[in-house]
Amino acid sequence: MAANMQKMEWNDKLARLAKDRVAMCGADPAFQHSSSLTHIGWNKHLSLHGVASFSDIIDSWFEEGNDFLYLSGRCRENATCAHYTQLVWATSSHVGCASQPCQTDGELWEIFVCAYYPGGNWEVNGQLVMPYKTGQYCSLCTSSMSGCFRLWDHVGGLCEIPKNPCRMSCGEHGHLNISSCKCSCDRGFTGSFCQVRCSVQCVHGRFREEECSCLCDVGYSGADCAEKVPFPFHSCDVMIDGHCFMVSSEADTYYGAKSHCQTLGGILAQIHSQKVQDILAFYLSALETSNEVTNTDFETRNFWIGLTYKPPKDSFRWDTGEIPTFSSFAFGQPDNQGFGNCVELQALSAFNWNDQRCKTRNRYICQHTAEHIAKWDGAR
């Protein structure tokens, strides 16, 4: 991990210099430029025309890193690493590139050039200066680059001159509200950083933008709520005040469980009173002695219910969008909002509630409301 890697910005002046250089088709190795920029670093590649894209070339430069021995600051014998070290030179903060076809010896080639500023690949007494410092990302940024830029899908961060106090980006499909440090997404995109494209059509249901999913009307199921559910459908494990609760025998992630319940024409269970909590806890406790499951590779003593924490509104809400008026969180819970976003009935806490990572595989409880039951009865 690099501790001082600077965020790279595109620079039109460098791009023009790169364009001037490719126009010479590599004929003048002693290329000179008249620019106010000094200490420019260069990467160049020549290949047959149409064989590779610029992205392919940059990837090939980065692959040279497999031959770079960081601890010794040297490249493996008979290998080239200079393109790689310039590419990852921590203090190079601006780049401009260009490419152009070139006719040479009767063949059509293509030259690719990138100009970096400030340049890198400096040596001291014949030894390469290390291209970057190792350590916790952004821990060795200079005072002028006190910001730490981090995209949603990056493990590390990049030193930058702070442009906003949030130290975050909403990408190309969102707009950052600096006062709240939250993203407002363009239509068709969702997620905390507007990174998820939504193209769901809810035929018989309501579109839930923040989850990019459908909440189906009663009697319909499937990802786009287009499938009519036949009635009557199945027998219930527990009936409470006209509501049917079905306990799964298999384990799944939260959203896998939610999808399965929807396929059955129901929803993940909602608990709106102490009565429902007590009855479900008693029923699940009775299963402990005969807790047969179809997948024993995962923790299966806990059960998903349809409650998640929603960062845009900073609150727990049922999958139908309602804010809970009743809760039964275990002592000390919830304790990891933003990481444990989904709620389970936890066996070790007498089936009181715990917030858990949504990718955990639990058993789950599907619910068919009294409205569903009435439709079953009406269809008989």
Side-chain angles (χ1 to χ4, degrees):
M1 187 179 293
N4 65 330
M5 188 68 66
Q6 293 186 14
K7 182 172 178 282
M8 190 73 76
E9 301 280 356
W10 179 265
N11 183 276
D12 288 333
K13 184 180 291 186
L14 290 172
R16 286 193 295 271
L17 292 176
K19 186 176 182 180
D20 292 342
R21 185 158 186 176
V22 298
M24 304 177 71
C25 286
D28 184 7
F31 170 77
Q32 298 293 325
H33 58 85
S34 55
S35 170
S36 58
L37 299 175
T38 57
H39 304 301
I40 294 177
W42 298 93
N43 271 354
K44 185 177 76 171
H45 181 88
L46 190 67
S47 66
L48 287 173
H49 181 66
V51 171
S53 66
F54 227 130
S55 179
D56 296 330
I57 301 306
I58 294 175
D59 285 343
S60 71
W61 291 343
F62 187 73
E63 287 299 315
E64 290 180 9
N66 293 327
D67 293 316
F68 181 68
L69 307 175
Y70 181 86
L71 295 179
S72 65
R74 297 183 181 278
C75 196
R76 296 186 194 276
E77 191 174 355
N78 298 324
T80 300
C81 297
H83 298 103
Y84 166 78
T85 51
Q86 175 59 83
L87 190 69
V88 301
W89 200 267
T91 54
S92 292
S93 56
H94 292 80
V95 64
C97 302
S99 65
Q100 178 175 303
C102 292
Q103 190 80 30
T104 304
D105 298 330
E107 289 190 287
L108 187 61
W109 296 77
E110 189 162 9
I111 185 170
F112 300 86
V113 169
C114 284
Y116 300 84
Y117 176 81
N121 285 344
W122 311 122
E123 294 185 357
V124 175
N125 298 327
Q127 184 172 1
L128 180 71
V129 174
M130 301 303 275
Y132 60 87
K133 301 285 188 182
T134 59
Q136 179 66 28
Y137 64 85
C138 293
S139 61
L140 293 177
C141 298
T142 61
S143 59
S144 64
M145 292 198 164
S146 57
C148 186
F149 178 83
R150 187 178 181 188
L151 286 173
W152 69 275
D153 56 351
H154 285 186
V155 174
L158 303 169
C159 300
E160 70 163 350
I161 298 173
K163 297 177 182 177
N164 65 69
C166 302
R167 307 291 195 268
M168 62 179 284
S169 168
C170 297
E172 60 180 316
H173 301 297
H175 309 279
L176 179 65
N177 184 328
I178 295 179
S179 61
S180 64
C181 289
K182 293 179 181 177
C183 295
S184 174
C185 300
D186 294 341
R187 184 173 180 83
F189 291 86
T190 188
S192 299
F193 302 98
C194 304
Q195 75 276 20
V196 179
R197 181 186 295 274
C198 284
S199 58
V200 178
Q201 298 294 323
C202 303
V203 181
H204 297 285
R206 177 166 57 89
F207 178 64
R208 303 202 63 203
E209 184 175 355
E210 61 199 29
E211 292 182 3
C212 191
S213 65
C214 296
L215 180 65
C216 295
D217 295 336
V218 174
Y220 291 91
S221 70
D224 55 1
C225 302
E227 301 171 28
K228 181 72 175 175
V229 178
F231 300 104
F233 198 75
H234 71 285
S235 60
C236 301
D237 293 314
V238 183
M239 287 289 294
I240 307 174
D241 294 335
H243 296 271
C244 164
F245 296 86
M246 182 187 72
V247 179
S248 76
S249 59
E250 70 274 8
D252 209 334
T253 64
Y254 179 88
Y255 290 103
K258 177 181 173 181
S259 176
H260 187 71
C261 289
Q262 186 162 299
T263 300
L264 297 177
I267 58 175
L268 274 174
Q270 299 185 5
I271 301 175
H272 295 295
S273 69
Q274 191 66 57
K275 175 183 178 180
V276 176
Q277 173 67 26
D278 289 348
I279 292 175
L280 287 179
F282 175 80
Y283 180 81
L284 297 177
S285 297
L287 289 180
E288 291 280 88
T289 56
S290 59
N291 203 10
E292 296 181 3
V293 295
T294 58
N295 188 337
T296 58
D297 293 336
F298 302 97
E299 171 61 62
T300 55
R301 297 181 63 216
N302 302 331
F303 297 82
W304 291 126
I305 58 175
L307 188 65
T308 54
Y309 182 80
K310 303 298 184 187
K313 294 189 178 180
D314 294 325
S315 64
F316 281 96
R317 281 184 289 163
W318 296 107
D319 284 339
T320 52
E322 302 169 67
I323 296 176
T325 56
F326 166 83
S327 70
S328 188
F329 279 105
F331 181 77
Q333 302 297 331
D335 63 351
N336 50 353
Q337 294 173 2
F339 296 97
N341 289 334
C342 297
V343 177
E344 64 184 6
L345 302 184
Q346 190 177 55
L348 293 177
S349 301
F351 294 104
N352 285 309
W353 305 357
N354 172 59
D355 56 334
Q356 179 60 274
R357 291 182 179 274
C358 302
K359 291 184 179 180
T360 302
R361 296 180 71 90
N362 284 334
R363 294 171 72 181
Y364 50 93
I365 305 173
C366 296
Q367 178 182 356
H368 297 267
T369 65
E371 185 180 4
H372 287 89
I373 304 298
K375 284 211 169 190
W376 292 352
D377 292 340
R380 286 174 183 164

